[in-house]
Amino acid sequence: MHHPFTPVASVPVDPARARVHEEGWQSWSPSGTYALGDSPYRPTNDNWATVCYRPGVTAPEGTFQGEGLLALDPGDGSPVRLWAATDPLSGVPSVRLVLTDGDVAEVSADGPVKEWTGTGIQSVLGDWADSLGLPAPRPAPTVWCSWYEYFTAVTEDDIHENLRAMDTLDLPVDVVQIDDGYQKALGDWLTLSGRFRSRAGIADAIRARGRRAGIWTAPFLVDPASDLAAEHPEWLVRDEDGDFAHAGRNWGHDLRVLDTTHPGAAAYLTEVFRTLRAEGYDYFKVDFLYAGALDGVRHDTETDALTAYRDGVRLIREAIGADAYLLGCGAPTLPSLGLFDAMRVSPDTAPHRRPEADDHSQPGQDPAEFTGAGRQWQHGRLWINDPDCLMARPAVETRERWAAHVEATGGLMASSDRLLSLDEWGVATTRRLLGGAAR
């Protein structure tokens, strides 16, 4: 439920020097600092507004808007000011800033916020994060991931080839993570696609070489063509009209949402993750998590969307155990506090720099760098930051610049190349970044 915006503060600013930090809703939402004359990044179509931004919340033109966090450096030497959600686990207000009279920033919010002051934008955001008192996150393992080379066409043989190449090239990879493409459909996580023979067999092969097995899921998304959707429509979130709640369009389908407040759906999701854990997987990338926090009509009508989301993630954690490593992606930022070991803090990278339609929620090195740098304050405080994967093969545009960004974050280090395609620079860079990761 969205409430009216009410005034929070009026702040005199130097319009030429002032800077505003917007915190986006989820991993892929643009987040970073702008000059007052800049136009902040906004969705360029309705589908991306659902999949990558905060659904149902639109910032008017000429307005800066942060979801639960907005910071202002007035540019006149006075302290930086931050307006933060008072209880981010139960409610994430939108915070808006509009410049009026040429030199006054008017700040408003549609829910309760608390003001913080500090000496720099990243610093005051870090102070707020420190105030939450979260446990220090565990160091991240180093990872090889199949996604940015093979995408959904990955095969079991591709995994085995790269597993052998890690030994040949002497790469310090802790985790071999199978990404999207092993499963029959979104929702049918335990049914293999025709390109894979044995999920447990791959895990055994990975572990036999002294590495850990990792796997990708999008646990709250359901493909309408899946067996799950056909057999258990009662497990899916509905909208107010009784139709299936819409989680955006991807993979050529209009996606649906698993209702983890339904006992049957919760039991199924528990079975999925317990099975994967029993097969030897102990590193889990859970993706497209925004879906679990979408508004809709759930089986438990007393549970709001954010509570349903957090309870769904807790269910996954209970199934995989406290010792397994849990990486979130596409996740609503503030509602995820305290739930993850690591978190993707940017849109997807890509072999190219510019995103489609210049929408900075879409894959590209430019948007990944912008938001990854803007969220550096989260690293080591909320979780280990995942800046997205290193791609070091020759075909990657500006690979040297992308590698420098990944290295500078000090976050989770993951390689995502066909390792035998790397040239001398690619091998050396991959070895250095993985070898320099905090253990």
Side-chain angles (χ1 to χ4, degrees), residues 196-247:
F196 282 76
R197 298 178 292 276
S198 172
R199 211 175 35 243
I202 302 174
D204 287 344
I206 292 169
R207 297 166 71 199
R209 289 180 178 266
R211 308 185 196 274
R212 297 166 57 185
I215 199 161
W216 174 95
T217 59
F220 303 139
L221 285 182
V222 177
D223 186 329
S226 66
D227 293 341
L228 185 153
E231 296 170 7
H232 294 287
E234 74 278 12
W235 291 359
L236 305 179
V237 178
R238 302 277 178 159
D239 64 20
E240 295 290 345
D241 297 324
D243 297 324
F244 293 112
H246 181 55

Side-chain angles (χ1 to χ4, degrees), residues 23-195:
E23 185 62 33
W25 172 243
Q26 53 121 307
S27 300
W28 306 323
S29 308
S31 298
T33 300
Y34 303 91
L36 291 183
D38 292 341
S39 296
Y41 297 117
R42 297 290 182 252
T44 58
N45 66 48
D46 291 342
N47 187 55
W48 292 343
T50 296
V51 175
C52 300
Y53 294 79
R54 189 172 191 175
V57 179
T58 303
E61 190 172 350
T63 302
F64 294 97
Q65 181 166 303
E67 305 304 338
L69 295 167
L70 185 137
L72 169 66
D73 180 346
D76 59 3
S78 60
V80 170
R81 299 171 70 166
L82 168 69
W83 295 273
T86 56
D87 185 3
L89 301 187
S90 62
V92 181
S94 298
V95 188
R96 289 179 175 171
L97 183 150
V98 178
L99 186 64
T100 62
D101 299 326
D103 61 359
V104 176
E106 299 289 350
V107 181
S108 61
D110 66 355
V113 295
K114 180 179 179 181
E115 184 173 331
W116 295 71
T117 59
T119 57
I121 286 177
Q122 289 281 309
S123 176
V124 73
L125 285 163
D127 290 345
W128 175 80
D130 289 338
S131 78
L132 300 172
L134 297 173
R138 290 183 284 175
T142 60
V143 180
W144 178 86
C145 164
S146 62
W147 178 247
Y148 285 109
E149 180 74 60
Y150 303 100
F151 298 96
T152 57
V154 64
T155 69
E156 182 168 332
D157 290 340
D158 294 327
I159 305 300
H160 287 295
E161 178 200 278
N162 283 280
L163 184 59
R164 293 190 297 269
M166 291 167 204
D167 290 340
T168 301
L169 299 174
D170 190 26
L171 295 176
V173 175
D174 297 325
V175 173
V176 177
Q177 184 231 306
I178 304 167
D179 214 280
D180 186 10
Y182 69 89
Q183 78 286 354
K184 177 183 176 183
L186 301 177
D188 297 339
W189 301 111
L190 298 181
T191 305
L192 292 175
S193 69
R195 296 180 300 278

Side-chain angles (χ1 to χ4, degrees), residues 303-366:
T303 299
D304 64 88
L306 294 189
T307 301
Y309 166 71
R310 289 183 60 82
D311 288 349
V313 177
R314 289 194 189 100
L315 182 152
I316 293 168
R317 170 57 81 184
E318 290 169 5
I320 64 176
D323 58 333
Y325 203 84
L326 188 60
L327 164 64
C329 187
T333 301
L334 297 193
S336 296
L337 295 172
L339 298 177
F340 294 93
D341 295 300
M343 177 65 72
R344 170 74 73 73
V345 292
S346 72
D348 280 12
T349 187
H352 51 269
R353 288 221 65 88
R354 301 299 298 173
E356 184 179 349
D358 205 31
D359 188 313
H360 268 52
S361 71
Q362 294 305 293
Q365 295 169 37
D366 280 346

